[in-house]
Amino acid sequence: MRILLVEDEKKIASFIERGLKAHRYAVDIAADGEKGLELAEINPYDLIILDIMLPGKDGITVCKELRAQGIDSPVMMLTAKSSVADKVHALHCGADDYLVKPFSFEEFTARVAALMRRTRKEKTSILKVGSIVLDQITHKVKTADKEIVLTPKEYSLLEYFMLNVDQVITRTMISEHVWNENFDSFSNIIDVFINNLRSKLDSNRKKSCIQTVRGVGYVLNSKSS
Ligand code: CA
């Protein structure tokens, strides 16, 4: 899952980025509202986190413009402004959630997970596809009741497949939701990660649970997983 963080204070931005990365999210950072809008227009983010007091365009204006453009990614406002009027105003302008700084990181990540869940059908943090079970809170993955150890990127990739089970996933979709802006689209890195994931998931299978759809992409098959 990929997140856009719009925050002008470098220290706060890198603190949040580190925390989100530890939770297996891909993160892009914009230091002002204009850059934030620009990135949100190009990339299909699973969540946008907006500081309100930003140089140039403030967070509220950015949120309004996103909505006016039909960008419906969930938006969380993160700000030091704590009055009821500020919160109500932000929610009226299209934000889905509002968190006041300073905040506990535990509450923050729980809200991030809840916002992403809201846009999907699942109401739990446990994803199941065939014999594969993935816990989005502990990041533990089991297949046929045996725990398997995945790297953070392998985990993100598997999570993305499980959220889109039985659907063909293109390389572009993978790069847009699992990697951040620094992704090199000319590399074969996705194929490498898919092969690593296969070798960890398929030890007891005749056929890989992740099938290649030639010229298109990949599909996680619920029948063979
Ligand atoms: Ca700020």
Side-chain angles (χ1 to χ4, degrees), residues 157-206:
L157 192 56
L158 178 62
E159 181 188 40
Y160 189 63
F161 271 112
M162 291 179 81
L163 290 169
N164 297 284
V165 64
D166 292 325
Q167 292 174 47
V168 178
I169 306 295
T170 64
R171 278 189 182 71
T172 308
M173 288 161 78
I174 293 172
S175 69
E176 284 177 345
H177 289 274
V178 180
W179 269 270
N180 69 5
E181 276 242 292
N182 305 322
F183 179 73
D184 174 7
S185 56
F186 295 103
S187 71
N188 66 342
I189 192 154
I190 290 177
D191 308 75
V192 172
F193 275 90
I194 297 234
N195 283 332
N196 292 345
L197 200 52
R198 278 176 173 148
S199 67
K200 291 186 182 181
L201 292 172
D202 293 337
S203 55
N204 290 319
R205 292 175 226 278
K206 287 188 202 93

Side-chain angles (χ1 to χ4, degrees), residues 7-9 51 53-54 101:
E7 167 65 74
D8 60 319
E9 280 163 75
D51 180 26
M53 286 182 281
L54 292 165
K101 293 178 199 168

Side-chain angles (χ1 to χ4, degrees), residues 60-189:
I60 297 283
T61 308
V62 172
C63 187
K64 279 189 195 161
E65 289 189 18
L66 289 172
R67 296 311 188 220
Q69 288 187 44
I71 296 169
D72 60 359
S73 309
V75 169
M76 183 198 284
M77 291 288 183
L78 211 57
T79 176
K81 294 174 121 185
S82 62
S83 77
V84 170
D86 285 322
K87 293 180 196 174
V88 169
H89 183 54
L91 295 169
H92 279 315
C93 291
D96 300 279
D97 199 4
Y98 192 105
L99 196 58
V100 176
K101 293 178 199 168
F103 52 86
S104 96
F105 210 80
E106 214 181 338
E107 179 181 358
F108 170 68
T109 48
R111 282 174 184 264
V112 165
L115 278 171
M116 294 205 191
R117 213 158 54 216
R118 214 176 284 171
T119 50
R120 306 192 312 257
K121 285 186 223 92
E122 304 82 28
K123 291 291 171 232
T124 87
S125 58
I126 310 280
L127 305 180
K128 283 184 193 157
V129 174
S131 64
I132 306 169
V133 182
L134 178 148
D135 184 327
Q136 294 179 295
I137 291 174
T138 62
H139 308 303
K140 288 203 164 121
V141 177
K142 285 180 176 179
T143 174
D145 280 335
K146 269 176 83 181
E147 192 171 330
I148 53 168
V149 180
L150 300 179
T151 66
K153 268 286 173 267
E154 288 165 0
Y155 171 92
S156 305
L157 192 56
L158 178 62
E159 181 188 40
Y160 189 63
F161 271 112
M162 291 179 81
L163 290 169
N164 297 284
V165 64
D166 292 325
Q167 292 174 47
V168 178
I169 306 295
T170 64
R171 278 189 182 71
T172 308
M173 288 161 78
I174 293 172
S175 69
E176 284 177 345
H177 289 274
V178 180
W179 269 270
N180 69 5
E181 276 242 292
N182 305 322
F183 179 73
D184 174 7
S185 56
F186 295 103
S187 71
N188 66 342
I189 192 154

